[in-house]
Amino acid sequence: MRVKKKDIFFQTLENMADAIVHAADYFAQQVTEFNNVDQFAKKMKEFESQCDGYTHTIIVELNKTFITPIERDDIMNLTTTLDDVMDGLEATTSRFFMYHLSEPDEHITHFAEILRNSAYEIQKAIHLLSEKKLLAIREYTIRLNDLENQGDDLLRICINELFAKVTDPIVLIKKKEIYERLETTTDACEHVANMLESIIMRNS
């Protein structure tokens, strides 16, 4: 029996979600060690370029496809928010390299775990979208909102501790930007959840 080929849009969105999981896993592993930040940054750039390729595929297909499985704007907005998650991971890693960060930091490690968990929730939700099991996606969007709240709380702890303990202004500036970038990336994960909620409302 011939297996029906998966829609190109859903397949590419799944590919993006899978790439984010691979990147978040790698990111979480590397920040516990900081053994080779140069290689870390290069690998994350490869993940980011891969995701850019998927975004390009979506744009090309939208330009030549008349009928899409969900609204065209929804596909494009979801693609953009997924790409923002990958961009956040890569941009943070590039700061590790540029700022010569070479020692593990418990707050960065904690953020990495939040982001890894968020990546897995995104992956599960996107695969459900492909199966058009829309209402089941809500379980994962709720978890993504909770993880973003954890990111907010962690940022407050980070910044409070930073200003209480760090006296070197250069170190303070570097760490503050990194913490804020990590929190912004948790926001990007929540934006994926919000976009999925919009899709559920329009298609249920």
Side-chain angles (χ1 to χ4, degrees), residues 152-164:
D152 286 345
D153 293 341
L154 181 56
L155 180 65
R156 282 190 283 272
I157 293 167
C158 290
I159 299 301
N160 180 277
E161 187 175 304
L162 194 62
F163 280 89

Side-chain angles (χ1 to χ4, degrees), residues 27 31 92 105-118 145-163 175-176 178-187:
F27 184 92
V31 297
T92 305
D105 173 315
E106 64 175 336
H107 296 313
I108 292 173
T109 303
H110 192 173
F111 263 120
E113 280 305 311
I114 291 172
L115 288 166
R116 173 153 59 183
N117 290 334
S118 297
N145 289 327
D146 180 59
L147 286 162
E148 191 276 334
N149 288 334
Q150 291 178 34
D152 286 345
D153 293 341
L154 181 56
L155 180 65
R156 282 190 283 272
I157 293 167
C158 290
I159 299 301
N160 180 277
E161 187 175 304
L162 194 62
F163 280 89
K175 286 289 187 77
K176 182 173 181 288
I178 287 169
Y179 294 150
E180 288 174 342
R181 279 189 176 274
L182 286 162
E183 192 277 330
T184 298
T185 309
T186 68
D187 287 345

Side-chain angles (χ1 to χ4, degrees), residues 14 17 21 53 65-66 95 99 106 122 133 150 185 190 200:
E14 282 188 13
V21 163
T65 304
F66 184 66
R95 265 63 186 179
Y99 297 164
E106 64 175 336
I122 287 170
K133 295 178 179 177
Q150 291 178 34
T185 309
E190 186 182 44
I200 292 167

Side-chain angles (χ1 to χ4, degrees), residues 19-198:
I20 288 168
V21 163
H22 294 319
D25 269 338
Y26 180 73
F27 184 92
Q29 172 201 336
Q30 292 299 310
V31 297
T32 63
E33 303 165 356
F34 278 101
N35 283 339
N36 188 335
V37 178
D38 183 29
Q39 181 59 35
F40 180 14
K42 286 177 181 175
K43 182 66 177 175
M44 290 301 296
K45 186 64 182 173
E46 289 174 14
F47 283 125
E48 193 253 350
S49 297
Q50 182 185 18
C51 219
D52 284 345
Y54 293 137
T55 300
H56 179 70
T57 297
I58 292 281
I59 293 168
V60 169
E61 292 297 325
L62 282 174
N63 284 333
K64 68 181 186 183
T65 304
F66 184 66
I67 298 174
T68 55
I70 56 176
E71 291 291 329
R72 305 171 75 84
D73 285 349
D74 288 342
I75 293 171
M76 195 64 241
N77 290 335
L78 183 56
T79 302
T80 301
T81 54
L82 287 168
D83 194 50
D84 287 344
V85 175
M86 184 68 86
D87 286 346
L89 288 167
E90 191 279 326
T92 305
T93 310
S94 71
R95 265 63 186 179
F96 297 156
F97 174 72
M98 289 188 290
Y99 297 164
H100 299 279
L101 198 70
S102 58
E103 294 180 2
D105 173 315
E106 64 175 336
H107 296 313
I108 292 173
T109 303
H110 192 173
F111 263 120
E113 280 305 311
I114 291 172
L115 288 166
R116 173 153 59 183
N117 290 334
S118 297
Y120 277 98
E121 301 303 333
I122 287 170
Q123 183 187 47
K124 292 168 191 170
I126 295 297
H127 281 259
L128 284 172
L129 178 65
S130 292
E131 297 166 17
K132 297 192 176 178
K133 295 178 179 177
L134 298 182
L135 295 179
I137 293 172
R138 283 230 163 91
E139 176 184 346
Y140 303 102
T141 61
I142 290 167
R143 289 181 191 168
L144 283 164
N145 289 327
D146 180 59
L147 286 162
E148 191 276 334
N149 288 334
Q150 291 178 34
D152 286 345
D153 293 341
L154 181 56
L155 180 65
R156 282 190 283 272
I157 293 167
C158 290
I159 299 301
N160 180 277
E161 187 175 304
L162 194 62
F163 280 89
K165 295 182 178 180
V166 176
T167 55
D168 184 331
I170 302 301
V171 173
L172 191 148
I173 289 167
K174 289 178 182 180
K175 286 289 187 77
K176 182 173 181 288
E177 185 190 349
I178 287 169
Y179 294 150
E180 288 174 342
R181 279 189 176 274
L182 286 162
E183 192 277 330
T184 298
T185 309
T186 68
D187 287 345
C189 294
E190 186 182 44
H191 294 160
V192 174
N194 293 341
M195 192 62 239
L196 287 166
E197 284 287 350
S198 295

